[in-house]
Amino acid sequence: MPLYEATLAQYEQVLGDTHPDTLSSRNNLACDARRLRRSPAGPAHAFSAFS
């Protein structure tokens, strides 16, 4: 997960919060966190991907 989180941080910094690639990365991180049952991270990333 740290690699995914680092990638998301770079997307946010370079592309911005509303770029489609950033949103997709955030959604992917949330889905993976949910699959791994890391529920505190999952919903936070998922909700921010759609706001």
Side-chain angles (χ1 to χ4, degrees):
M1 295 289 290
L3 180 61
Y4 292 142
E5 292 169 348
T7 301
L8 174 59
Q10 290 175 350
Y11 277 144
E12 290 172 337
Q13 182 179 11
V14 174
L15 301 175
D17 291 338
T18 59
H19 190 278
D21 290 345
T22 303
L23 298 174
S24 179
S25 180
R26 187 176 291 130
N27 184 62
N28 290 342
L29 178 60
C31 290
D32 288 344
R34 184 174 181 202
R35 278 188 221 122
L36 294 173
R37 300 198 186 275
R38 294 185 184 178
S39 58
H45 289 296
F47 289 130
S48 64
F50 297 106
S51 56

